[in-house]
Amino acid sequence: MRWPPWSPESTNDEKQSIWSSSNNSSSVLDWRAFVEPRTLVPTILLTSGILISVRIHRTYLRRIPDAPSISPSFLRRRSVFGQVTSVGDGDNFRIFHTPGGEACGLGLDALEEVKKELKDNTVRLHHYTQIHIRLAGIDAPELAHFGRPEQPFARDAHTWLTNYLTSKRVRALVHRQDQYSRVVASVYVRRAFDFPPFRRRDVSYEMLRRGLATVYEAKVGSEFGGEKMEKKYRRAEWWAKKRAKGLWRDYKAVGGNWESPREYKNRMGMGDSTLEKKK
């Protein structure tokens, strides 16, 4: 039997075996034609192909517009790849998700179009077009916000992170959502001018070893990406402190008056009370 059996190439006998005659009301559709192997196999293959394609698109090729849209199935299992569009503070930034990874980079055309429109001042690059990421495992000094003063070395941390990541393509291994509609993630970047070049760099670790951040010390909500990573981060902080790098420069001289980013947040009422209530 030809497929489909009602195609022009089918013989009259085949058509008669399937479709009822208009002059014979007792005739019924012959379902045997639909269970023949040469009918079932192409149908199963076509249906499976469609379902697999939909699954691949939804899992790997669909662009994620913002952090709240990230599926719970991603958390602690999957990563997102994208281009950094802006840096908000010394420990958070936004990326434009480009699915498909380094090989495909799907969505770059859309990003360039958004940038063009932004440059022409015809539209704004709205928050809902980007994923807001909070670097896992670290606390950076706070910039001035909502009337609060700027913390020492906040500008240094923000400037370094801006120069290090802006317009770079990064991979973020997502751990969890936080209370500010961000995703806490371990972020990795490859840079041509670092030595050795193009080696994958852990951004949180790079900030710690330069003394531009401290290990995250909140009582709740801490996220390092595993015990091994926490030990690595604490070791990097210890070396930065020992060498008096960055925000540790005046640590010994100031003594008890030295204030960490976490202590500053607590003093300014920016602690984790909101997160504790949610838990």
Side-chain angles (χ1 to χ4, degrees), residues 158-182:
H158 179 264
T159 299
W160 182 88
L161 190 63
T162 300
N163 293 335
Y164 200 71
L165 290 185
T166 299
S167 298
K168 296 295 188 298
R169 300 171 72 184
V170 302
R171 183 168 295 282
L173 178 60
V174 296
H175 301 306
R176 64 173 179 83
Q177 305 276 356
D178 74 1
Q179 70 269 36
Y180 303 112
S181 296
R182 304 177 301 190

Side-chain angles (χ1 to χ4, degrees), residues 37-256:
R38 53 184 170 180
T39 302
L40 282 177
V41 171
T43 303
I44 293 173
L45 291 177
L46 179 61
T47 304
S48 300
I50 292 173
L51 293 176
I52 291 172
S53 298
V54 171
R55 179 64 180 271
I56 290 175
H57 178 269
R58 293 187 62 181
T59 306
Y60 300 103
L61 304 179
R62 179 176 60 88
R63 200 183 78 77
I64 302 171
D66 53 21
S69 300
I70 294 178
S71 169
S73 64
F74 270 62
L75 304 182
R76 305 183 190 281
R77 296 186 184 93
R78 297 278 306 281
S79 63
V80 293
F81 186 80
Q83 186 167 322
V84 177
T85 56
S86 63
V87 175
D89 223 329
D91 50 25
N92 68 86
F93 56 91
R94 298 178 187 274
I95 69 170
F96 190 94
H97 179 222
T98 53
E102 298 180 55
C104 300
L106 302 178
L108 286 175
D109 292 341
L111 174 59
E112 293 304 319
E113 185 64 26
V114 169
K115 285 183 176 179
K116 179 179 180 300
E117 292 176 341
L118 182 63
K119 183 178 180 180
D120 295 339
N121 294 319
T122 56
V123 295
R124 291 177 59 83
L125 189 59
H126 295 293
H127 290 339
Y128 59 75
T129 65
Q130 306 162 88
I131 299 175
H132 197 180
I133 292 178
R134 170 66 157 83
L135 287 170
I138 67 169
D139 249 342
E142 293 290 318
L143 291 171
H145 293 300
F146 309 110
R148 301 184 183 98
E150 181 177 294
Q151 193 176 7
F153 291 98
R155 188 65 50 184
D156 301 69
H158 179 264
T159 299
W160 182 88
L161 190 63
T162 300
N163 293 335
Y164 200 71
L165 290 185
T166 299
S167 298
K168 296 295 188 298
R169 300 171 72 184
V170 302
R171 183 168 295 282
L173 178 60
V174 296
H175 301 306
R176 64 173 179 83
Q177 305 276 356
D178 74 1
Q179 70 269 36
Y180 303 112
S181 296
R182 304 177 301 190
V183 62
V184 181
S186 298
V187 178
Y188 302 92
V189 63
R190 298 181 189 274
R191 290 169 48 88
F193 299 106
D194 286 353
F195 183 81
F198 297 110
R199 189 179 72 180
R200 193 176 78 157
R201 309 279 177 171
D202 180 341
V203 180
S204 294
Y205 174 78
E206 295 297 325
M207 293 196 71
L208 286 169
R209 75 185 192 89
R210 288 172 170 81
L212 296 173
T214 64
V215 170
Y216 194 84
E217 296 289 3
K219 294 181 180 179
V220 293
S222 59
E223 184 61 68
F224 296 93
E227 185 178 345
K228 182 178 179 181
M229 294 300 294
E230 181 178 357
K231 290 180 179 179
K232 177 182 176 181
Y233 288 174
R234 293 193 182 281
R235 187 166 59 250
E237 181 191 69
W238 182 83
W239 274 108
K241 185 189 296 186
K242 185 177 179 64
R243 297 172 182 174
K245 300 188 72 172
L247 56 80
W248 303 106
R249 187 178 304 163
D250 301 323
Y251 177 72
K252 292 182 180 179
V254 174

